[in-house]
Amino acid sequence: MSTRPVIAQRGDTLRCRGWRQEGLLRLLENVLEVGERPEDLVVYAAIGKAARDWPSYHTIVATLKRLGDDETLVIQSGKPIGVFKTHPLAPIVVMANTNLVGRWATPEHFYELERRGLIMWGGLTAGDWQYIGSQGVIQGTYEILAQVAREHFGGELRGRLVLSAGLGGMGSAQPLAARMAGAVMLVVEVDPERALQRVASGWCDSVAEDLDEALARCRAAQVRGEPSAVALIGNAAEVYPELARRGVTPDVVTDQTSAHDARYGYVPPGLSPDQVVELRERDPAELERQSIAAIAAQVEAMLAFKDRGAVVFDNGNNIRIQATRGGVARAFEIDIFTERYLRPLFCQGIGPFRWIALSGEPDDIALIDDLALASFPANALVQNWIPLARQHIPFQGLPARIAWLGHGERTRLGLLVNAAVRDGRLRGPVAFTRDHLDAASMAHPYIGTEKMRDGSDAVSDWPLLNAMLNCAAMADLVAIHSGGGGYSGYMTSSGVTLIADGSPEAEYRLQHVLDADTGLGVLRYADAGYGLARQAARDADLDALNL
Ligand code: NAD
């Protein structure tokens, strides 16, 4: 255990030998500062962790403090292994989290290795210290809803009811994103404490303990045409079927419980939190059986909503495959959000780019907001998003911003920011990173790469190439992750982080890494046969060999 809560250091005092090391250390501290169960090193997605155990955490911290610029720290599933002499432009941290050989990549084998302290799940952005709280996925959720509005509701979600569940680390982005999109959201959360906490921190408007009361509030907001988000304390496996039985048909339906993990994530109805813990220890197979049956009931209700005309999509939690295990033959009639709404963006290398002010100064983010608005006047996504984000999104932990930028744009912004660090317009260095759910960096046949045009959904060469290329391009941190817990065997992805400290070396790294990272993304989609990606590759003059 850590003796006191971990809070990311702010200000200009260096504890390390340079800003690259200090920046990564602050990011490690930050994922725990904004994480869901920092006492267990758990950051989000049920059991996604920042380090294997507390001794590993403390060794990583001590090592970052002594690490030279020409050294590289190697981390295996959250455990520091060694430091190697490399060279001043090499990454200072490389890591591989949760990767298992194919036939062994099952939840059972993962849980057994985890119990023996031999592995941890890094989530996408927990183990490589890139998580920035619920704000990290909020633009993705907002852009999905905006696209849903354009495709199905004449561009307008005002007065529309969106139903979802789950107010965890990522799920909390939903109510705020829905409000930003003008909609009314009903979000079901089984844990009263989390629901209350989301209202207290401004991500949700109110909490109801009773379905009638929650529906009345939603209906009133719909009639007034006012954006609103009501958290209902309840179990989605009971509330969704009850709504279906009553004949209520929301306009849009999804879910963001941790349905991917039937043992540690999804909570079946009828069990108190203590009973869940007790059953998990006594008979984990029975707990999983109950979770899977409950997920099946929830997805049957989602299909009933769809049959009645609701727009229903999977929001990236493997809920359809879990429902299939529970006997729901039609689960895959529900679309996945990536293939349905976001793929054209990935074809252009546009994805969830983010930056973090290592100074801890909100003004630094404000200045970068201005730089982004001034630099991309013709980019409708940016011009719409940045003012909205400024107005609505509270910072969590170190001030940060997410903005979906594409190939070339990320590089341009990175270089402008590095110059602003150098000339003192920014109070401190800035970290650049992105979600793993990006163009080149994820193979996940039920999320990022479902129904690829050429059938290459499960080819994980792409994230591996992405990681190697980012090492070659001299990133500061590069990570290769695979699925853990309920995601075991379902995915491989890669992460990258750069510290813009104003130096010429940082400029060199930013130029090469950001171009390579998004460039490979465009080529991955071009290779899969998407015309939009082929055009993007030609427009960007990428040295593509197969167009
Ligand atoms: P989390 O574990 O922090 O939160 C899950 C929440 O669901 C918890 O608050 C839990 O109490 C609640 N819950 C569990 N069972 C429930 C039930 N039956 N009814 C109502 N509430 C229930 O997880 P998270 O970080 O919020 O992530 C949620 C899911 O979204 C995960 O599967 C994760 O992998 C996935 N995810 C998707 C994206 C994306 O880009 N769309 C990004 C990150 C994570």
Side-chain angles (χ1 to χ4, degrees), residues 14-207:
L14 279 178
R15 295 160 297 171
C16 303
R17 291 168 66 183
W19 267 110
R20 299 170 68 208
Q21 301 85 337
E22 178 71 32
L24 294 181
L25 175 53
R26 290 184 188 196
L27 294 182
L28 166 59
E29 292 166 336
N30 194 51
V31 297
L32 291 175
E33 180 178 331
V34 301
E36 293 296 307
R37 276 193 291 125
E39 64 280 11
D40 298 323
L41 291 156
V42 168
V43 177
Y44 78 109
I47 52 170
K49 288 172 73 175
R52 180 96 58 97
D53 46 32
W54 283 106
S56 294
Y57 172 83
H58 291 301
T59 306
I60 292 170
V61 171
T63 309
L64 286 171
K65 286 181 178 171
R66 72 168 166 89
L67 202 65
D69 262 343
D70 58 350
E71 294 179 314
T72 299
L73 164 61
V74 176
I75 295 179
Q76 179 259 326
S77 284
K79 179 179 172 186
I81 300 299
V83 172
F84 291 84
K85 209 45 148 192
T86 49
H87 60 85
L89 289 176
I92 47 172
V93 178
V94 294
M95 49 171 77
N97 293 323
T98 339
N99 301 286
L100 290 167
V101 171
R103 284 182 190 270
W104 280 262
T106 64
E108 293 69 31
H109 192 62
F110 167 85
Y111 293 134
E112 173 58 15
L113 289 172
E114 202 203 27
R115 193 186 60 74
R116 293 165 55 199
L118 296 174
I119 204 166
M120 70 157 200
W121 187 38
L124 301 184
T125 54
D128 48 1
W129 322 331
Q130 295 159 347
Y131 182 80
I132 53 171
S134 311
Q135 57 188 333
V137 289
I138 194 165
Q139 194 188 358
T141 311
Y142 171 83
E143 299 300 348
I144 295 166
L145 291 175
Q147 189 57 26
V148 165
R150 281 191 289 272
E151 277 193 35
H152 305 281
F153 301 105
E156 179 67 76
L157 283 184
R158 202 158 295 277
R160 301 286 178 181
L161 179 65
V162 182
L163 171 67
S164 191
L167 284 172
M170 296 285 86
S172 311
Q174 302 178 96
L176 189 49
R179 272 189 325 203
M180 290 165 82
V184 174
M185 172 167 266
L186 175 62
V187 56
V188 187
E189 167 58 55
V190 77
D191 179 346
E193 226 173 87
R194 284 205 189 190
L196 289 166
Q197 194 192 337
R198 302 318 180 197
V199 174
S201 52
W203 291 78
C204 217
D205 292 315
S206 68
V207 181

Side-chain angles (χ1 to χ4, degrees), residues 257-317:
T257 60
S258 274
H260 72 273
D261 197 312
R263 192 180 293 190
Y264 287 91
Y266 197 85
V267 178
L271 295 179
S272 69
D274 287 346
Q275 287 170 323
V276 170
V277 173
E278 190 273 325
L279 185 56
R280 185 183 296 136
E281 274 162 25
R282 183 170 50 79
D283 190 351
E286 172 57 18
L287 177 60
E288 286 192 27
R289 194 196 61 71
Q290 289 187 26
S291 294
I292 293 293
I295 291 169
Q298 188 186 341
V299 171
E300 288 286 11
M302 291 168 79
L303 286 163
F305 296 135
K306 185 173 158 67
D307 290 342
R308 292 190 213 145
V311 175
V312 183
F313 61 89
D314 176 327
N315 200 7
N317 62 353

Side-chain angles (χ1 to χ4, degrees), residues 405-427:
L405 292 179
H407 180 70
E409 293 171 334
R410 298 190 197 183
T411 314
R412 188 149 161 228
L413 187 68
L415 297 182
L416 286 171
V417 166
N418 197 51
V421 175
R422 184 167 50 239
D423 65 23
R425 276 176 292 150
L426 288 166
R427 300 276 292 277

